[in-house]
Amino acid sequence: MIERLARDIVASRQAIALTGAGVSVESGIPDFRSAGGLWSRYDPTEYAHIDGFRRDPIKIWDMLREIIAVIGAATPNPGHRALAELEAMGRLSCVITQNVDGLHQEAGSKNVIEFHGSNRFLVCPQCGFREKTDHFDASRLVPRCPVCDAVLKPDVVFFGEAIPADAMARAFDEADRADLVLVIGTSAVVYPAYGIPAAARRHGARVVEINLEETELTRYTADYFIKGAFGETLPRIVTAVRQLLGGKLE
Ligand code: APR
C-alpha cells in the first residue's frame, strides 16, 4: 500500500493533507479519543465548550495549563518532517490541520491551514487583545487581559465557536482543487473538518486514510486505508516517492 500511495502522490496534480491529533501523539501530545486520550480525563462538553469557558474560566484553565505545558515540551516527529519534505518536493500543496500545536510549521511545512486555531496566542474574549502564549507564566492561575481584566483564552476553536472564516474558506478551496487527499491521524468525528475529504471526493479526488485504526471515513469516504503510525509510515511514503521520482522503484 505504501508503493500504491507513492504512485498516487507522483501521479497527482494537487495533493493535500488533513491531519488530526494522531499525528502529534509520537511527539508526546496525547490525542483526544484514543484510550487514555484527553477526553478520557476531561469531559469535553464541560471543558472544551465555549459556554463552559464563559461559565468557569478558572476551572477550564486547569486543563488548558496542562495542554500548554505538554505542547511546549513537544517537538516535530519524523512524520511532520516527511510532510514538510513532500511539500518541498512540490508533491504536497497544503496541510490542513485540526491541531493547534504548531508542529507542522516547526517541521518546515509552509502552507498550513490551522482549522481549529492555534495555541501560540492568547486572546481576550471581551476586547480582542492578543498576546503570544509563551509570554504566559504557566504557574500563574489564569492569564488576565491587561486592557479589560477579562480571563484570556487560547486562540483555539472551542466547541460552540465558529471556525475562523479565512481558514474555512481556504480549506474548502484547497479541497475543491485537490485530486488527492491524505487524511492522517484523525477520528473524523468533528464537523466541519471531516467534511473536507468528502468535499474533495465530490470533485473526483482520491481519498487515502492513514491511521492506527479504521474510522467512519474508512467505510464511507476513503478509497483505501493504510494502517500505520504517522511517524513511521510517512517517512516510508516519502522514501518511496523519492525512489519513484528517481526512477528506481520497480
Ligand atoms: N499515527 C496515526 N494515527 C494515530 C496515531 C499515530 N501515531 N495515534 C493516534 N492515531 C489516530 C487515532 O486512531 C484516532 O483515529 O488519530 C486519531 C485521533 O483522533 P482524535 O483523538 O479524535 O483527534 P482528532 O480527530 O484530531 O479530533 C478532532 O476534536 O476534540 C476536538 O478540537 C479537537 O481538533 C480536535 C477534534
Side-chain angles (χ1 to χ4, degrees):
M1 294 301 253
I2 297 283
E3 280 65 33
R4 178 177 176 187
L5 180 50
R7 285 188 170 80
D8 281 345
I9 289 170
V10 170
S12 74
R13 174 186 36 78
Q14 180 106 350
I16 63 173
L18 170 68
T19 64
V23 307
S24 296
V25 169
E26 290 155 280
S27 295
I29 304 175
D31 67 12
F32 296 97
R33 295 173 181 84
S34 293
L38 202 68
W39 296 156
S40 67
R41 293 186 292 116
Y42 293 103
D43 176 352
T45 58
E46 267 184 75
Y47 280 87
H49 199 287
I50 191 61
D51 292 345
F53 184 87
R54 287 187 184 122
R55 216 176 11 257
D56 187 351
I58 291 180
K59 170 179 143 186
I60 309 307
W61 265 99
D62 286 343
M63 174 190 71
L64 294 175
R65 195 174 299 112
E66 177 185 325
I67 293 176
I68 287 173
V70 165
I71 287 179
T75 54
N77 64 58
H80 290 108
R81 287 194 289 277
L83 281 184
E85 191 179 340
L86 219 42
E87 181 188 51
M89 292 159 74
R91 296 290 157 182
L92 186 74
S93 81
C94 161
V95 175
I96 303 165
T97 188
Q98 299 171 84
N99 303 337
V100 298
D101 54 36
L103 292 180
H104 286 300
Q105 296 94 315
E106 208 178 313
S109 289
K110 301 279 182 284
N111 189 7
V112 179
I113 299 173
E114 293 180 307
F115 204 66
H116 289 164
S118 159
N119 216 47
R120 274 190 312 283
F121 290 94
L122 299 175
V123 294
C124 176
Q126 300 304 335
C127 72
F129 168 82
R130 277 166 72 88
E131 70 170 353
K132 289 187 71 113
T133 303
D134 53 22
H135 292 173
F136 166 52
D137 168 5
S139 62
R140 280 192 343 233
L141 194 55
V142 286
R144 287 192 175 275
C145 175
V147 175
C148 72
D149 199 41
V151 176
L152 300 179
K153 72 180 265 293
D155 192 16
V156 302
V157 180
F158 278 58
F159 287 113
E161 286 191 297
I163 302 295
D166 173 57
M168 178 81 107
R170 283 176 59 208
F172 280 91
D173 176 53
E174 289 282 353
D176 290 350
R177 290 186 289 117
D179 62 352
L180 179 64
V181 184
L182 311 185
V183 184
I184 317 170
T186 180
S187 59
V189 295
V190 172
Y191 190 79
Y194 77 61
I196 293 168
R201 190 171 168 71
R202 278 195 294 279
H203 290 84
R206 176 163 296 164
V207 176
V208 183
E209 188 179 22
I210 299 163
N211 199 312
L212 288 178
E213 58 196 22
E214 296 198 353
T215 70
E216 282 303 297
L217 215 70
T218 319
R219 216 183 333 278
Y220 301 111
T221 309
D223 289 277
Y224 57 93
F225 174 82
I226 297 178
K227 184 178 179 62
F230 173 64
E232 186 265 326
T233 307
L234 260 291
R236 287 173 56 205
I237 291 166
V238 173
T239 301
V241 167
R242 218 184 296 112
Q243 285 170 344
L244 268 181
L245 293 174
K248 289 195 209 79
L249 195 66
E250 288 74 43

